[in-house]
Amino acid sequence: MATPLAGLKTMPTGVNKNEAIFNEAIVLMEALLYRGAQSRAFTAPPAGSPSPANGTIYLLPEGSPTATGDWSGQEGKLAVYYNGWRFIPPAEGLTVWIIDELQMVQYRSGVWTNISEFPAQTLAELTDVDFSGSPSLAIGDSITWNGTAFVPGSAASSAYSGVRVRKSTAQTIMTATHTVLTWDTEDWDDNSFRDAGQPTRLVAPVAGRYEVTLLAMSASVSASFVWVPYIMINAAGTGTLPGEAAACFQNTIGVNSVKGGSVTVQLSLSAGDYVEGFVIHTRGSNLDTDTKSYMHMQLLKAT
């Protein structure tokens, strides 16, 4: 008798000296466990001397050209060498690695089929992608993936896009006056967050959740006073405290203390909303900002 899939011979009961049957089964079982075939390009055993090493496996061709020599009549089977050739018939789902091709093949519906972990797909085969406009995508064209629309080159298509601006020259802050900060230097701007005509504003290009940081530093001082940097939304350059500020930080500055303060806040903004940074202080006389001051706005998630 033989097993139904690999054709392994079974030992009949009540018969002594079944070593040959057992050993034959072990050879074929090992081949099925270590399914690395040298090639599937040969139609006959490779010519020459010496003979193949025990354990050598080939996948025999299917159909035409037919196998010849010691492989004659064994098309589509695994040929295993162990002091002679043995043959294993394929069964549905049997998978073999072809060494000289670096290719995995699997027996499916009666034929050996190339398989890979990530099958290659053309754009036409990606049925969950909806392209609007021409097939050649340009900035501004919309792509829908799993129900979410993306626009190449826009903030919505790039998590963590953002902007950072800073001061390269000092700005005078009058005492006890809410003063909006202007930004004259751009370190980066990924998606048109900044309007050059409005140097105080950072604008949300899309609706989403943003993180905004303001660092406002004062120039050298020789007295103690309160210095309050804060952030406001859509304030049109007019600052107030405390209720309408998105966030604020009060720092009492002394002769030997840090000369300024920073505030960070996460905000849900609509497209077109903007934020501005402000400072108010109680020194009693006007005070200049330090050029280390900056403002940073980051898109965390488009909504």
Side-chain angles (χ1 to χ4, degrees):
M1 294 179 61
T3 59
L5 297 180
L8 304 181
K9 293 181 180 179
T10 59
M11 294 184 291
T13 58
V15 178
N16 294 327
K17 297 183 178 181
N18 283 317
E19 296 89 346
I21 296 176
F22 177 79
N23 292 339
E24 180 78 7
I26 289 295
V27 169
L28 298 179
M29 287 175 62
E30 182 183 54
L32 289 171
L33 288 173
Y34 297 90
R35 292 167 290 179
Q38 298 297 316
S39 179
R40 57 174 169 173
F42 292 86
T43 59
S49 181
S51 298
N54 285 339
T56 300
I57 303 173
Y58 288 89
L59 177 57
L60 305 192
E62 302 173 284
S64 180
T66 58
T68 61
D70 290 345
W71 293 353
S72 179
Q74 306 294 338
E75 289 81 5
K77 297 181 181 179
L78 289 178
V80 182
Y81 190 85
Y82 190 86
N83 298 327
W85 291 104
R86 279 91 166 153
F87 303 96
I88 301 176
E92 184 74 13
L94 179 61
T95 304
V96 178
W97 175 249
I98 307 299
I99 295 173
D100 65 352
E101 299 179 29
L102 301 180
Q103 174 66 56
M104 192 77 76
V105 297
Q106 189 173 70
Y107 195 72
R108 300 177 180 175
S109 302
V111 295
W112 288 101
T113 304
N114 290 352
I115 63 172
S116 60
E117 186 174 359
F118 301 103
Q121 290 180 299
T122 65
L123 286 177
E125 293 172 321
L126 296 175
T127 56
D128 199 27
V129 178
D130 173 42
F131 295 94
S132 64
S134 65
S136 298
L137 291 178
I139 291 177
D141 288 343
S142 174
I143 303 173
T144 299
W145 179 263
N146 287 335
T148 301
F150 296 88
V151 179
S154 74
S157 63
S158 176
Y160 310 113
S161 61
V163 60
R164 194 177 95 154
V165 291
R166 56 187 170 86
K167 301 191 72 64
S168 62
T169 58
Q171 178 180 346
T172 298
I173 310 297
M174 294 185 292
T175 187
T177 301
H178 296 275
T179 304
V180 64
L181 298 173
T182 58
W183 310 104
D184 55 19
T185 301
E186 180 183 293
D187 289 331
W188 65 79
D189 184 356
D190 296 328
N191 283 291
S192 300
F193 286 76
R194 188 166 180 245
D195 181 353
Q198 299 286 348
T200 66
R201 301 180 182 182
L202 299 182
V203 183
V206 296
R209 186 180 305 127
Y210 292 82
E211 184 171 275
V212 183
T213 296
L214 169 66
L215 173 67
M217 303 294 289
S218 68
S220 298
V221 295
S222 57
S224 295
F225 59 94
V226 174
W227 172 271
V228 184
Y230 61 98
I231 298 167
M232 294 196 69
I233 304 171
N234 301 335
T238 302
T240 58
L241 280 175
E244 296 182 16
C248 66
F249 175 81
Q250 178 174 314
N251 186 25
T252 301
I253 297 178
V255 175
N256 297 317
S257 65
V258 176
K259 299 177 298 180
S262 66
V263 59
T264 298
V265 63
Q266 291 189 5
L267 303 170
S268 292
L269 301 176
S270 300
D273 285 347
Y274 62 89
V275 293
E276 294 175 300
F278 291 79
V279 170
I280 187 171
H281 66 86
T282 62
R283 186 187 180 196
S285 58
N286 296 345
L287 185 65
D288 288 342
T289 59
D290 188 275
T291 54
K292 296 183 180 66
S293 301
Y294 72 85
M295 195 166 183
H296 177 223
M297 183 176 182
Q298 192 91 24
L299 173 65
L300 301 179
K301 181 180 180 182
T303 56

